[in-house]
Amino acid sequence: MRVIYALWLRNFKTFLRNKTALIFNLISPFFFVYIFAGIFKHEGIGNASAFMLSGVIITMVFESTMRISASTIDDMTGGFMKEVLVSPISRLNIAIAQFISSATVATIQGLIIYVLGLFTGLSLSPSALLLTIPVMIFVGLVFSGLGLFIATKAKNIQTFQAVSLAVTMPLVFLSGAYIPLSLLPNAMQWFAYFNPLSYAVILFRAVTLGKLNSSGAELVHESIAFKIGSFTVTPIIAFGVLAVFGILFLFLSTISFLKVDFSKMNRNKKDLIDF
Amino acid sequence: MAEMARKIIEVENFTKKYGKFTAVNDINFSVDEGMIFAFLGPNGAGKSTTINTLCTIFDSTAGSLKIDGKCVSSNKSEVRASIGVVFQDSTLDNKMTVEENLKMHCVFYGVPKTEVDNRIDFVLDLVELKDWKKKTVGSLSGGMKRRIEIARGIIHYPKVLFLDEPTTGLDPQTRATVWTYIVKLAREKNITIFLTTHYMDEAEVCDMVAIMDYGKIIAHDSPFNLKKQFTKDRAYITAKNCERLESLLESKSVGFQKKEKYYRIDIGEVSDTLNILSELKEDITDIEIRKGTLNDVFLEITGREIREGAEE
């Protein structure tokens, strides 16, 4: 526990100390709120700004977990991970600390947008905030697994950035976070069904907009939930699907992290011989 | 005394291959507790591979490696708890302060919470960097970072401290400082030091030296014995009367080489040499005696310089 806490605190401090990144990470979400909220004003969505904002927040949570995984790669190649790995602590503890700090940072970034959103005249229900935080932590945990998995497979920062961009963009745009899935072509909608982020968006939007108790038909009508065939994915079902994805990601990334050979990280053949 | 010492590191038939490339080829050696042991050799000789395997970072291809009686491949976490490591490249967390780095290390190695602050002060005192406790590591110079790493390496009181090229990339003055702390640690705290280096002068002050080349240990002894076995002291003489010098040297069957302006004489027994020199004292205008170095040892065994055309 002491080890997990220390590593968590370290990752959290690293995040807080990088103030430039902290501020710049908040710029693009607002860009999306204002542009897209303007576009969808006339598309039959009740409160376009709130609808958009909830999508932007959960996307932010998702993207932060990816960014934090990039810093994990930084540690792996930058040497600090070597210090961690020659110490007697178990790799499992390191992985757990990565997941928890990832989820913490992601939640905080999501919360900042949430709170800023309240000040900019958007009407998200502040009373929903209590339920919002656990959902953000949950979503953060799910995707921290995906992030760590990609990080351990990519092995260097360039590959990671390329892969994470290739994964992040389609996942975000085909999740309903910015563009309601009903506006997408059929083939793309099918992709969205396999996209874990789609379920995170349903769950989070229903919570922030206070629609947890609404009927399935109502949610589909408001573009909050979607139907697969005649089957409606309600927020509760979305939670279940996301949990399955989460267990899968955490499991795969833990296995991959336990097995990865850090001595091969970001090294070329010449370096290897020089060992 | 030497016979009494306990073997803290034991390596038997250790081989490490990267694919088809054999980095370390069936080596055997042991290190007694409390000594400074140096691995000397050119880049790519297999020194770092050996140190990394001993530190549990790499797995060996074959052979048995033990630290304090524990096998490094089957008993990783116990071995890790009993060693300190300073790698060739910095493994400090640059975004954190010196104190935070050391605290983190204490957590990793399970140093009791109540002792952490005392130990941090103790090791920072040792490397004379107490005033830098609250500074971010990224703001320190290369030499200071290396000293912090050495301090961190011993904060959990390891039995063996591994140092992979601890002074590479440091300026001569910093090198000397860092080296002072290394010797101090070994002598005052009785920590066994295992280091790799390609600096001759550093290897000279170690208790034991193993010379590596192409993955093999080609010599293993104290610097004194190595030099005694493989090198000869040499006298460089300039004389007024060259013919008489040559004939005398020939009559005494002393090996010499005639150079452009001087004679190079291999010195065997000091007393013989002194006798010859005293007979020549009228003719000698200048004399310089050079002791054999570890570089000469390497040259003698392999036929080449340890760092051909390299710095210094």
Side-chain angles (χ1 to χ4, degrees):
Chain A
M1 274 315 284
R2 192 179 166 206
V3 169
I4 295 175
Y5 172 72
L7 280 169
W8 172 82
L9 191 66
R10 178 259 173 187
N11 289 348
F12 189 56
K13 278 184 184 165
T14 311
F15 159 75
L16 287 182
R17 279 174 198 177
N18 196 348
K19 296 200 174 59
T20 329
L22 211 146
I23 289 165
F24 275 85
N25 285 346
L26 298 176
I27 290 178
S28 74
F30 271 89
F31 174 79
F32 280 115
V33 172
Y34 289 111
I35 302 282
F36 283 90
I39 294 173
F40 294 118
K41 218 150 231 167
H42 309 291
E43 293 293 335
I45 296 159
N47 184 346
S49 289
F51 181 88
M52 273 312 297
L53 191 63
S54 63
V56 167
I57 293 170
I58 204 65
T59 305
M60 182 73 185
V61 170
F62 164 66
E63 286 178 347
S64 317
T65 60
M66 286 304 187
R67 266 194 296 272
I68 299 155
S69 304
S71 78
T72 308
I73 298 230
D74 239 15
D75 288 341
M76 289 173 188
T77 54
F80 174 67
M81 195 57 91
K82 214 171 175 183
E83 144 83 357
V84 180
L85 293 171
V86 282
S87 74
I89 63 176
S90 84
R91 276 200 191 186
L92 184 63
N93 279 346
I94 307 169
I96 292 171
Q98 292 287 345
F99 297 141
I100 298 177
S101 39
S102 234
T104 311
V105 170
T107 303
I108 288 172
Q109 296 221 319
L111 270 178
I112 294 172
I113 310 253
Y114 194 116
V115 172
L116 289 179
L118 295 179
F119 280 108
T120 45
L122 297 167
S123 56
L124 283 169
S125 142
S127 60
L129 193 64
L130 274 184
L131 198 52
T132 305
I133 294 172
V135 172
M136 281 197 270
I137 296 173
F138 172 63
V139 172
L141 274 176
V142 169
F143 290 105
S144 69
L146 180 65
L148 188 67
F149 182 72
I150 298 174
T152 50
K153 292 293 176 200
K155 292 190 169 67
N156 68 56
I157 200 85
Q158 289 84 2
T159 315
F160 179 81
Q161 269 159 358
V163 174
S164 105
L165 198 67
V167 170
T168 311
M169 289 295 278
L171 287 192
V172 168
F173 282 99
L174 300 177
S175 68
Y178 299 151
I179 308 158
L181 290 181
S182 53
L183 297 183
L184 294 175
N186 252 339
M188 292 295 177
Q189 287 192 24
W190 269 102
F191 180 90
Y193 300 153
F194 294 99
N195 178 357
L197 193 58
S198 307
Y199 301 93
V201 169
I202 293 179
L203 178 62
F204 189 72
R205 197 165 263 155
V207 168
T208 45
L209 301 184
K211 303 273 185 179
L212 271 182
N213 298 320
S214 302
S215 71
E218 204 180 319
L219 291 172
V220 172
H221 176 72
E222 293 186 38
S223 290
I224 293 171
F226 56 77
K227 280 171 123 173
I228 302 176
S230 60
F231 179 74
T232 308
V233 180
T234 61
I236 302 300
I237 290 168
F239 174 80
V241 174
L242 205 54
V244 171
F245 270 116
I247 291 165
L248 186 73
F249 289 157
L250 291 178
F251 180 74
L252 285 179
S253 60
T254 306
I255 299 288
S256 175
F257 187 77
L258 293 182
K259 285 202 307 197
V260 69
D261 182 358
F262 289 92
S263 62
K264 299 226 168 73
M265 284 274 172
N266 209 19
R267 286 203 169 257
N268 54 38
K269 275 201 170 118
K270 195 186 143 282
D271 282 328
L272 258 180
I273 294 170
D274 202 36
F275 263 77
Chain B
M1 172 92 186
E3 293 82 27
M4 301 280 289
R6 203 163 64 93
K7 290 194 183 345
I8 192 101
I9 300 175
E10 292 162 281
V11 173
E12 280 168 20
N13 306 108
F14 165 49
T15 297
K16 173 72 183 177
K17 290 181 182 176
Y18 299 109
K20 282 183 181 164
F21 175 73
T22 306
V24 178
N25 189 1
D26 193 22
I27 63 170
N28 293 280
F29 67 92
S30 63
V31 179
D32 290 343
E33 191 165 27
M35 64 167 44
I36 305 182
F37 182 95
F39 247 19
L40 183 66
N43 286 330
K47 296 171 295 176
S48 294
T49 299
T50 308
I51 214 170
N52 275 304
T53 312
L54 280 169
C55 297
T56 75
I57 295 275
F58 295 171
D59 288 319
S60 62
T61 310
S64 132
L65 298 93
K66 281 183 189 159
I67 290 176
D68 200 20
K70 293 164 206 129
C71 174
V72 299
S73 51
S74 63
N75 229 334
K76 279 191 175 154
S77 73
E78 271 185 66
V79 169
R80 285 173 182 164
S82 62
I83 62 172
V85 190
V86 177
F87 290 105
Q88 216 161 320
D89 306 310
S90 166
T91 61
L92 291 168
D93 193 348
N94 285 322
K95 297 163 213 144
M96 298 284 132
T97 66
V98 170
E99 190 182 19
E100 283 166 335
N101 265 281
L102 296 176
K103 268 199 176 138
M104 184 71 105
H105 189 89
C106 288
V107 173
F108 291 167
Y109 287 80
V111 173
K113 271 182 196 164
T114 46
E115 264 185 60
V116 170
D117 288 333
N118 284 338
R119 291 223 198 165
I120 289 175
D121 288 343
F122 167 71
V123 293
L124 285 180
D125 243 359
L126 207 66
V127 296
E128 292 166 34
L129 284 174
K130 218 172 179 175
D131 297 342
W132 298 80
K133 200 158 116 177
K134 304 278 180 198
K135 293 274 192 301
T136 308
V137 167
S139 68
L140 304 185
S141 72
M144 285 178 179
K145 281 188 193 172
R146 199 56 60 90
R147 275 148 71 190
I148 295 292
E149 285 201 271
I150 292 172
R152 188 183 63 177
I154 57 152
I155 202 167
H156 57 285
Y157 297 160
K159 295 207 165 87
V160 186
L161 178 64
F162 288 95
L163 302 156
D164 195 4
E165 309 261 354
T167 57
T168 300
L170 303 180
D171 60 87
Q173 201 190 340
T174 318
R175 249 180 74 194
T177 329
V178 168
W179 194 251
T180 314
Y181 299 123
I182 294 174
V183 176
K184 194 157 115 187
L185 271 176
R187 300 292 176 249
E188 288 178 19
K189 309 292 164 203
N190 198 35
I191 295 174
T192 310
I193 310 252
F194 184 108
L195 59 94
T196 65
T197 183
H198 51 244
Y199 290 115
M200 296 301 146
D201 50 342
E202 295 182 354
E204 300 264 359
V205 298
C206 296
D207 302 307
M208 280 297 238
V209 174
I211 300 181
M212 261 195 120
D213 196 32
Y214 293 119
K216 282 271 189 195
I217 291 181
I218 52 176
H220 177 196
D221 213 329
S222 68
F224 181 81
N225 287 342
L226 284 174
K227 284 184 285 187
K228 201 171 158 192
Q229 189 186 346
F230 293 103
T231 69
K232 286 189 175 119
D233 294 347
R234 282 171 176 156
Y236 295 80
I237 294 173
T238 4
K240 271 183 281 188
N241 192 332
C242 297
E243 288 85 46
R244 206 160 72 200
L245 178 69
E246 277 181 40
S247 63
L248 186 77
L249 289 174
E250 272 163 20
S251 71
K252 301 267 180 194
S253 63
V254 175
F256 70 92
Q257 271 185 298
K258 188 179 180 180
K259 300 281 179 176
E260 204 176 324
K261 287 200 171 115
Y262 60 89
Y263 291 86
R264 199 188 80 190
I265 301 166
D266 293 339
I267 297 177
E269 287 299 313
V270 179
S271 54
D272 296 346
T273 315
L274 285 177
N275 283 336
I276 297 167
L277 291 178
S278 67
E279 283 182 49
L280 287 172
K281 65 181 174 222
E282 308 292 312
D283 294 321
I284 294 176
T285 52
D286 191 36
I287 182 163
E288 185 187 344
I289 300 206
R290 284 190 207 158
K291 305 289 289 175
T293 64
L294 285 174
N295 199 29
D296 296 333
V297 175
F298 191 80
L299 186 69
E300 178 67 29
I301 304 174
T302 66
R304 56 199 168 81
E305 298 270 336
I306 204 155
R307 304 207 72 203
E308 270 166 345
E311 72 217 28
E312 291 195 326

